[in-house]
Amino acid sequence: LNVVIMDEKTEKKKQHRAAQAGRKRERKKDKKHKGEPVVKHNPKAFRFSGGVLATGKKIQKTLDRKAKRERAELINKTPDIPPPFVVVVQGPPGVGKTTLIRSLVKAFTKQNLVSVSGPITLVGAKDRRYTFFECPNDLPGMIDLAKVADLVLCMVDASFGFEMETFEFINIMQTHGFPRVVCVLSHMDSFLKLSGQKKAKKQIKARFWAELYDGAKVHAMSGIEYGRYARKDILLLTRLILNIKYLPLSWRSAHPYILAHRFEDATEATRDTEEDGHQVNFYGYVYGAMLRPNIVMHLPGVGDYNVTAVKNYSDPCPPPEKLGMKQRADATSEERKQNKAAMRLRTLSDKYRLIYAPSSNIGNVVFDADAMYINVAEHKDGFTRKEDFVQPEQDADEDENSKEGSESSGEDEEGTRLPEAVSMVRKLQQADGVLDGVVRRKSMALIPGMEVEVPVEEVTQGGRTRRRVLERPMEGAERNGGEEGDEEDSDLDAAADEEEFTLLGADAGGQIPDGVLEDEAARGRAEVEKAQARFSAKTLYDLVYGNQPLDAAPAAVVSKPQADPSADKKLALFEEEDEDEASTTAGTDIDAFESCKVPFGTNPGGIFQLDEEARAELKARKFATGGWDSADEAEKDADMQGEDGEDKPEGETEDPDKQKDEEDKPGNLEDERFVNVFPIGTYVRVTLDKVPAASVEQLTTARPMVLGGCLAGEAKLGMLQMRVKKHRWHKKLLKTNDALLFSAGWRRFQSIPMFCTEDRSGQVRMLKYTPEHRHCMMTAWAPLVNPQTGVLCVRNWAPGVAGFRIAATGSVLEASTQFRIVKKLKFVGEPKQIFKKTAFITGMFSSDLEVSKCVHAKLQTVSGIRGEIKKAVGTQGTFRAGFEDKILLSDLVICKAWVQVSPKKFYNPMLDLPEWRRMRTMAELRRDAEVPIPHKPNAEYGAKPQRVEKVFNELKIGKTLAKNLPFELRPEDTTMRERHELEDKTAVVRSEEEEQVANLLAKLELIKADKLQKKQAKRDIKWAAKRKVEDREQAARDAAMAERRKIRYRNEGQKEEKKQKGLRMRD
């Protein structure tokens, strides 16, 4: 132990460190600066936080937070590896949609598309796949694709400008959930100058932003190179597509749907398609939500169908992440350590650039659970070689040699490279299988010791040799040369021997030719040895565990009695069981042919009769629990027993309430709702049954086939109340009871709407026409959908319709069986008898029953006198009414009432068939039939009954009364001014002197008028100068007044600021 002693001189003491923060530091600081004014380092933090703007911002921020809490948060159900994003390329005809898809496919997959038809799915990045679809030019196809599109490439001809199809598609997208939109400009090379390109792009961009939103992406294509767009432009567009983020839409997140890649008619040949329809299979990815079996799915243009079957299929275009995971799983640990960087899948190599386009002549082989389909491009036809049609006999051997050489190399007769599909089919045509060889030898060994001869008849038809299999002779054959069976052989073996002799090829007399038995027996033994070697190499034990520690020689097959199915599941491997519970078949052997068909749980031939040591070794080698110590299990079993030695139920604890709570948790119970469901991104086959034959004939992959799932209740019909607005570009107003074409949810149908509006009193009043530039309510009989679902109305979506085809857009407010809608009704009557403020009215009702229903109803005359119905008088509809003033016999009495009306229950689903016709409106029917519009005066919209003006007699005042009246009220005396009729009719003829006097007076009047005009002009000039001076003086006075007001306001503000500072100092 080393001890160092330090004296006081060499010892270094700890220095004092002043406090840098804390309460002690603050006290010292206050003492040091006591009495000095406090300096505020952040004046903005201590300024007055008042005023109108600041208060408004605070209120707005509070309301925004409250609204954000009230709004439900969007839930993104998309898995980590999402299904392919649907990219729709839309545009008018001839704008370059097909060229754009070919260019994008070439950029993503480095493959050339000969034809573009239907969906094209490809891998775009490590975690992204895309399905490109060319939008058809008809309105139904545009509507169906707008409901499932994640990204829309809206193509516009820059040299022509926007067309009506573009704006129609934009309105459709706004109604059915707005996806991401990118505007792509084509035909930019038609501009000769760069300034023209810039100007056109600027104009289109401004118009596009006005329709969508500011900041919408606009991409221009400079030109075409080698049949595709420029590589630089496509590269920029692909980067834009890869960087777009997609948001979940509420309707799609709540409904599962499938965009079918292909379909197939799986109808049986014996089925009556006219009555039972067809059975059609659709293949595609699951989008939106999990797909459950037995769900109702709607196929637009066809109808609603219950899903017959849903089956999971392998992904035809798997994402690179799945392929990378499989590669990492197949690799060994050493390979993972050596190629750690390669296992991470940092980049997308060419082998991962997959494409699946079953309708676009790309991808030659499609594997299905039922069959394998080999596709051949339409521009390349022919599987059979040309020389196979006419084959000379002398050159047959030479041609076979040349064919074998050319097919093995995959080249045609001319040396050109054959397509993959043609080469595969030709190889299948020339393949020589095992069964072909057996059939060629006309003998086939089915069971060891049994040989069968298949009689074949060769028939030549049309230059082709066809082999017809004949029925074997069952009678007239005799047994010959058979050995006697052993005592162990069963009756089945004896019957087999008899049948063997019959089928060995005996002649008509029952004799077998020489050498046939020896050859057939030797060939049969060779086949049996091959089969035994093939089947005995792998037993059930080898397939499960990989090796066979026990040698079991194959023996003859012994028929085993049918065992209890419950007993097959019991296998005594690790615990001893009673002899009566263990189902064993001791003393039986297994043939090599049947070694893979032994039910699990049986004990054939004592294979699993192991002792305790061998059983422990097997358990430690083959099971994960083999290394555990049995002492832990013994202690666990001891804990599970009670005090009296009885076993407790497994999982029971001392606290029963706590155990009950644990069992009630959702995590401890298996949720049956997620059994047999298909998650998002799964590639499935959906089978629909009873599809009409006419609809199946019209199905094509060139048009979108969207299978939309319907939730519970969406397959029922009811009243839908919607809030709609007539589109500002639609020319005509929409009329009640005129049929319209609707698009709501997944469906497209026709119904008869009724327009209405809600008054301030809360009642819903019917409208005859839609209002201008504002919303209204619309009620129609249609399939029920959830509120806030977009609704699109079209009067006629035929391609030849001129103008804008979208009639109205809106959303669903409510769904119910019935809505109360009222219509204004006016009853008009006339007074029959008047007694001061009481009158008897007739002509308004036709019976006393109608009057009794309207007792105490409000009345009003045209002159504005109000009244009320009191009581019926008689049975002809006359009633007594009271008014607030006396009415006249010439007055019309009006009773305003409301009568309830209901929309017509009409539902016509739209079918994509040439025979389908829509219901026409009354105006169209009248125009086609040349029927004039009926005129009903009482039904004129807005017409009001007019009161006939009454002519009163002239008021006559006597002379005595006129003298006593004031001068202002005295009637004017016109007797002196009256002229005689003869004077009016007399003509005045002037003399020459009178004419000269008249001319002179006219000249004097003209001179006077001219003087007055000049005088007025001078006066106007004088007043204008005076008004100019006055305006200048008034402006000076106003400026001085404003300056004084400004000084006064500034002084008052300074006073107010001092006052506020004083208040803050006291605080």
Side-chain angles (χ1 to χ4, degrees), residues 220-454:
M221 295 293 179
S222 60
I224 294 180
E225 299 176 357
Y226 306 106
R228 293 186 297 270
Y229 288 110
R231 185 176 181 182
K232 179 184 66 175
D233 300 334
I234 293 297
L235 179 60
L236 295 177
L237 183 59
T238 54
R239 289 179 180 176
L240 180 61
I241 293 174
L242 292 172
N243 292 332
I244 291 178
K245 296 181 180 179
Y246 304 96
L247 295 177
L249 301 178
S250 58
W251 171 263
R252 303 182 192 177
S253 300
H255 297 76
Y257 62 94
I258 295 173
L259 179 60
H261 286 80
R262 61 185 180 93
F263 73 96
E264 62 181 8
D265 191 357
T267 310
E268 299 178 357
T270 59
R271 188 173 185 175
D272 187 4
T273 57
E274 295 296 333
E275 296 182 0
D276 300 336
H278 288 247
Q279 184 176 357
V280 186
N281 297 331
F282 296 90
Y283 298 83
Y285 293 95
V286 178
Y287 291 89
M290 291 187 297
L291 180 62
R292 306 175 186 276
N294 301 326
I295 191 175
V296 177
M297 301 198 79
H298 178 80
L299 182 60
V302 180
D304 295 350
Y305 295 94
N306 289 322
V307 175
T308 304
V310 183
K311 189 174 182 181
N312 189 359
Y313 270 67
S314 60
D315 198 336
C317 186
E321 290 295 333
K322 284 188 177 181
L323 297 176
M325 292 169 58
K326 185 177 183 303
Q327 179 183 1
R328 290 191 292 271
D330 296 341
T332 61
S333 59
E334 296 181 358
E335 292 178 354
R336 293 174 186 172
K337 292 179 181 179
Q338 295 176 0
N339 302 328
K340 185 178 293 185
M343 293 295 174
R344 293 176 184 173
L345 195 62
R346 293 181 178 271
T347 58
L348 189 63
S349 58
D350 292 343
K351 65 179 180 180
Y352 295 136
R353 298 179 182 271
L354 305 179
I355 183 173
Y356 178 65
S359 303
S360 298
N361 289 333
I362 189 169
N364 296 321
V365 183
V366 177
F367 291 95
D368 199 350
D370 305 326
M372 179 182 70
Y373 304 94
I374 300 178
N375 181 32
V376 178
E378 295 178 357
H379 62 286
K380 297 180 180 180
D381 54 351
F383 292 117
T384 308
R385 296 168 56 88
K386 296 179 180 179
E387 60 270 12
D388 289 345
F389 291 105
V390 180
Q391 180 68 33
E393 295 182 0
Q394 62 272 17
D395 300 336
D397 298 336
E398 298 178 2
D399 274 349
E400 285 204 15
N401 297 333
S402 62
K403 280 193 290 184
E404 290 176 2
S406 62
E407 295 298 341
S408 61
S409 61
E411 295 181 356
D412 204 350
E413 304 84 17
E414 293 81 2
T416 58
R417 187 69 179 176
L418 291 174
E420 182 183 356
V422 177
S423 177
M424 293 180 65
V425 172
R426 290 188 180 180
K427 288 180 180 179
L428 288 176
Q429 289 176 348
Q430 298 178 0
D432 190 7
V434 178
L435 294 179
D436 294 336
V438 175
V439 173
R440 189 181 299 109
R441 292 192 301 266
K442 304 180 183 180
S443 176
M444 179 169 53
L446 300 179
I447 301 176
M450 177 179 177
E451 297 176 355
V452 179
E453 181 182 3
V454 182

Side-chain angles (χ1 to χ4, degrees), residues 162 170 181 183 204-212 216-218:
F162 284 103
I170 289 174
V181 183
C183 180
I204 293 175
K205 186 176 182 180
R207 188 72 178 89
F208 195 68
W209 285 16
E211 287 296 324
L212 272 74
K217 299 295 183 182
V218 178

Side-chain angles (χ1 to χ4, degrees), residues 88-104:
V88 176
V89 182
Q90 190 275 335
V95 79
K97 301 187 292 294
T98 304
T99 307
L100 180 62
I101 293 178
R102 288 176 179 172
S103 304
L104 290 173

Side-chain angles (χ1 to χ4, degrees), residues 180-197:
R180 302 298 187 187
V181 183
V182 176
C183 180
V184 181
L185 304 181
S186 62
H187 296 81
M188 293 294 291
D189 51 353
S190 60
F191 295 96
L192 300 179
K193 296 182 179 180
L194 185 61
S195 60
Q197 294 184 2

